[in-house]
Amino acid sequence: MAQRARKQVTLADVAREANCSVSLVSIVMRDAVGASQETRRRVKAVAARLGYRPDQRARALRSTRSGQIGVTFDVHQPFHAEIIDGLYTAAESGNHELVLSAVVGAVDDRRAAETLLRDRCEALIMIGPSLGTARLRMLADEVPVVAVARPLSCPGVDVIRIDDRGGVAAAVAHLVGLGHRRIVHVDGGKAPSSPERRAGYLEAMAAHGLSTEATILPGGLEQEDGIRAAAQLLAAPEPPTAVSAFNDRVASGVIQGLVSAGVGVPGRISVVGFDNARRYESGLVPLTTIDQNPGLMAKLALERAIGRAAERYLPSEQVLIPRLIERASTGPVSEAAG
């Protein structure tokens, strides 16, 4: 009677037995940097006990570099488009090709990333990913992942982001400097950066002795969210004199809602956005905003993705310092409003 072939032991089998991630087992078995000596001893002992043998065909396939860096982005986010522009600029002088996969409709971050993995991308740059940390870590077990513009604590994932709390603090400080006290924050709803910006607003208001004036209105990511927030502001018994909005689109919606109701911006209410998306430099009221420096974010993200794919260094977090861009949507508090 023919003997049944023994099932080949995989990296996942070793990882499960050694109680660590597949990516860590891969690091150990390739003798790459990123694992302690104790971990190396433990993983190699498990691999020997289970009879693990590297798949030379798979290793040869992985060693054939594709030269492709995958990028996931939300097609509805103007700020994401600016990071894409920065990535193409940064990639011009190198040997890597960008492959884009859009988050739109039924295609979420997970499906967009899976498409790029099928294309054998060497690393993923995910702009503002909404995936949970467990799923991001699973992706990072398969390929280096760089998350851009999202506060995140996830082992194995690089992070390039702005200081969200510091950005909102700069907005509040600017408004307080103009004499405003009744400053409302319109938040980003379920957006990944929303908790950090809410916290930054509350901390900044407290730092200026304005905790009793602090008010947060539910918002979102879209202009329509800002229009709804404007209606709520105007329905209040004592409307604010200034608004800090989650992003430029929400800020633009707030301005549209206020101006449509005959409320001057910044004559009666000043408005600050967040992102410094180019389309809001001009328009109904040129927008004062917090600049995230998408060009630098893109440059750093591409450097990290290429370097991680070449195993030159370990995952890290880089936090950029925001700066306020003052335009026409903010001004001194009016005597009537103050």
Side-chain angles (χ1 to χ4, degrees), residues 70-96:
V71 183
T72 66
F73 68 104
D74 188 331
V75 296
H76 299 300
Q77 293 270 17
F79 180 67
H80 289 202
E82 296 197 11
I83 294 179
I84 296 293
D85 285 347
L87 286 170
Y88 274 109
T89 299
E92 281 180 356
S93 58
N95 298 318
H96 284 76

Side-chain angles (χ1 to χ4, degrees), residues 80-222:
H80 289 202
E82 296 197 11
I83 294 179
I84 296 293
D85 285 347
L87 286 170
Y88 274 109
T89 299
E92 281 180 356
S93 58
N95 298 318
H96 284 76
E97 177 186 359
L98 299 178
V99 182
L100 306 185
S101 187
V103 176
V104 58
V107 180
D108 59 9
D109 285 286
R110 178 184 60 80
R111 291 182 60 186
E114 287 173 351
T115 297
L116 296 171
L117 292 179
R118 287 196 295 270
D119 288 338
R120 294 186 56 243
C121 289
E122 296 180 10
L124 297 183
I125 296 173
M126 304 186 73
I127 306 174
S130 59
L131 289 177
T133 55
R135 180 57 192 169
L136 281 170
R137 187 165 184 176
M138 288 174 64
L139 283 174
D141 283 344
E142 299 184 53
V143 67
V145 174
V146 181
V148 180
R150 175 183 171 182
L152 182 68
S153 178
C154 184
V157 176
D158 278 276
V159 177
I160 309 291
R161 68 176 181 90
I162 200 75
D163 178 1
D164 288 283
R165 295 191 185 205
V168 176
V172 171
H174 171 66
L175 294 169
V176 170
L178 293 171
H180 297 277
R181 293 179 57 83
R182 296 198 306 275
I183 304 168
V184 167
H185 178 65
V186 180
D187 77 2
K190 296 181 180 179
S193 298
S194 191
E196 283 288 298
R197 295 184 192 177
R198 282 195 297 267
Y201 164 76
L202 293 173
E203 290 169 359
M205 292 293 281
H208 291 283
L210 299 174
S211 291
T212 58
E213 302 284 355
T215 302
I216 297 176
L217 290 183
L221 295 171
E222 309 298 334

Side-chain angles (χ1 to χ4, degrees), residues 132-330:
T133 55
R135 180 57 192 169
L136 281 170
R137 187 165 184 176
M138 288 174 64
L139 283 174
D141 283 344
E142 299 184 53
V143 67
V145 174
V146 181
V148 180
R150 175 183 171 182
L152 182 68
S153 178
C154 184
V157 176
D158 278 276
V159 177
I160 309 291
R161 68 176 181 90
I162 200 75
D163 178 1
D164 288 283
R165 295 191 185 205
V168 176
V172 171
H174 171 66
L175 294 169
V176 170
L178 293 171
H180 297 277
R181 293 179 57 83
R182 296 198 306 275
I183 304 168
V184 167
H185 178 65
V186 180
D187 77 2
K190 296 181 180 179
S193 298
S194 191
E196 283 288 298
R197 295 184 192 177
R198 282 195 297 267
Y201 164 76
L202 293 173
E203 290 169 359
M205 292 293 281
H208 291 283
L210 299 174
S211 291
T212 58
E213 302 284 355
T215 302
I216 297 176
L217 290 183
L221 295 171
E222 309 298 334
Q223 192 167 11
E224 291 75 12
D225 297 310
I227 294 173
R228 283 193 295 271
Q232 288 183 265
L233 295 173
L234 297 177
E238 192 174 27
T241 65
V243 174
S244 164
F246 173 77
N247 66 13
D248 288 348
R249 279 187 295 166
V250 173
S252 176
V254 169
I255 292 173
Q256 182 179 330
L258 294 175
V259 172
S260 298
V263 176
V265 177
R268 283 179 56 191
I269 298 180
S270 290
V271 180
V272 182
F274 202 117
D275 283 346
N276 194 26
R278 284 192 294 267
R279 69 173 64 177
Y280 300 110
E281 292 178 4
S282 59
L284 191 60
V285 182
L287 184 63
T288 295
T289 187
I290 301 300
D291 180 37
Q292 294 204 62
N293 201 339
L296 180 57
M297 273 191 178
K299 178 177 179 292
L300 293 173
L302 188 60
E303 287 176 355
R304 293 301 302 182
I306 293 172
R308 287 287 314 288
E311 299 178 355
R312 289 203 294 266
Y313 35 65
L314 299 175
S316 69
E317 179 183 50
Q318 298 182 63
V319 182
L320 308 186
I321 304 301
R323 66 188 180 105
L324 183 129
I325 306 295
E326 186 175 0
R327 299 195 184 101
S329 67
T330 54

